[in-house]
Amino acid sequence: MTLEPGFILMPLYAMASWYGLITQANTGKHLLPISLIGWLWAGINIARSKRLDLGIVTFGLVLLASICERYYYGFTRGLRWGLTISCFLVAANFSLVVIFWKPISKDLARSNKSQVWMKIFWSYCACMMVFWLCAGYKNQMRGENLGYSSSSAGGVSYDSVQQ
């Protein structure tokens, strides 16, 4: 039996994602590198399988919003909501594997994936679904912690509220 990259990469990516959330949730700095890796991984999946991976869209949305926050606009109300919703979309993407596991597992078995690989894949998808739900929630609470409520007027940067 050959060791596929997924045996190592899926658990490693999940652990790095959770580490980023635990250590940097108050700043949101973890979202950019984690979404970049997910977006690149989805692109590689598309190139290898010639099939659509929705991660190219959902991770792309988190990546775009993270870039806008970090390099252009700061943590505005609009970006706060954009990041939160895009995190929830990534979670929904991972939840599709959990919800439709029976037909997906049959398809994977036909492609000669081992039972161990399939268990790792399912566990990875379930873990990352929970991660992205938590990331979206923590992102939404990041604004609350800065003293900017969900019902406040738009267009004001959270950075200016702190000063």
Side-chain angles (χ1 to χ4, degrees), residues 1-8 10 41 101 104 108-109 111-124:
M1 179 172 123
T2 61
L3 187 65
E4 295 184 39
F7 276 108
I8 297 167
M10 287 186 282
W41 196 336
W101 180 244
I104 290 171
L108 290 171
S111 68
N112 296 323
K113 295 291 184 186
S114 71
Q115 288 296 315
V116 174
W117 188 94
M118 291 194 313
K119 286 179 183 181
I120 291 171
F121 179 63
W122 186 91
S123 299
Y124 162 75

Side-chain angles (χ1 to χ4, degrees), residues 82-161:
L83 279 166
T84 300
I85 291 167
S86 60
C87 286
F88 289 159
L89 288 173
V90 175
N93 189 20
F94 278 110
S95 76
L96 293 174
V97 173
V98 176
I99 293 167
F100 297 110
W101 180 244
K102 278 196 174 190
I104 290 171
S105 65
K106 288 177 185 175
D107 189 41
L108 290 171
R110 281 193 296 269
S111 68
N112 296 323
K113 295 291 184 186
S114 71
Q115 288 296 315
V116 174
W117 188 94
M118 291 194 313
K119 286 179 183 181
I120 291 171
F121 179 63
W122 186 91
S123 299
Y124 162 75
C125 290
C127 175
M128 293 307 289
M129 174 187 69
V130 173
F131 166 80
W132 284 103
L133 287 171
C134 291
Y137 174 78
K138 289 296 284 183
N139 182 73
Q140 191 64 19
M141 291 299 100
R142 184 164 51 124
E144 299 290 332
N145 293 338
L146 292 175
Y148 199 74
S149 71
S150 299
S151 60
S152 298
V156 177
S157 171
Y158 289 106
D159 295 333
S160 66
V161 173

